[in-house]
């Protein structure tokens, strides 16, 4: 699979759709307050990192080609961080919460990769 804008844009769009759907489910379909909080937190982080994934396509378009690596970390973070919260909200054992920090770490690595690649991008304002 080629990791470029044509890969990240559809995956980001699907992730955005799911974040909205899960957020709506949390707001209207869950009575348990702890489960509601887990879903809300997971959806919030999923949506933020969905937007970051889509922003990477813009960075790639302006010359920061290495930004194509950051969405892999963002999407892995969504699966690990948000996914573990979603699973616990839906009844999975709380021990699954041990996975959540690894998702947070993936998010941070994605941001670090994106920052590094943005600094290394060609200076377009000097044209």
């Amino acid at each position: 699979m080629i990791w470029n804008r044509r890969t990240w844009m559809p995956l980001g769009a699907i992730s955005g759709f799911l974040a909205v759907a899960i957020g709506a489910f949390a707001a209207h379909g869950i009575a348990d307050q702890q489960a509601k909080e887990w879903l809300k937190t997971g959806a919030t982080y999923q949506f933020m990192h969905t937007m970051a994934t889509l922003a990477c396509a813009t960075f790639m378009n302006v010359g920061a080609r290495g930004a194509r690596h950051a969405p892999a970390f963002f999407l892995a973070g969504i699966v690990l961080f948000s996914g573990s919260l979603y699973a616990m909200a839906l009844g999975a054992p709380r021990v699954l919460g041990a996975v959540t920090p690894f998702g947070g770490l993936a998010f941070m690595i994605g941001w670090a990769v994106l920052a590094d690649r943005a600094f290394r991008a060609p200076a377009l304002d000097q044209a």
Side-chain angles (χ1 to χ4, degrees):
M1 179 173 269
I2 298 173
W3 302 110
N4 59 28
R5 287 181 308 149
R6 299 178 128 247
T7 303
W8 299 130
M9 294 294 286
L11 290 175
I14 291 166
S15 180
F17 175 89
L18 291 173
V20 171
I22 292 166
F25 179 65
H28 304 291
I30 294 289
D32 179 76
Q33 197 57 38
Q34 179 63 63
K36 190 177 284 221
E37 280 301 311
W38 283 332
L39 289 171
K40 183 179 174 183
T41 299
T44 299
Y45 275 80
Q46 180 173 354
F47 194 71
M48 283 188 288
H49 290 89
T50 294
M51 298 280 68
T53 296
L54 296 173
C56 287
T58 302
F59 278 113
M60 286 182 260
N61 204 37
V62 297
R65 296 184 63 142
R68 73 181 183 273
H69 301 294
F73 291 103
F74 293 145
L75 294 173
I78 288 169
V79 169
L80 296 172
F81 183 89
S82 298
S84 63
L85 293 176
Y86 298 156
M88 289 189 307
L90 298 174
R94 289 185 83 156
V95 70
L96 190 60
V99 172
T100 310
F102 292 105
L105 181 61
F107 288 149
M108 290 188 287
I109 292 170
W111 285 111
V113 167
L114 186 56
D116 176 66
R117 299 310 175 186
F119 279 121
R120 293 174 189 247
L124 297 175
D125 60 349
Q126 295 178 7

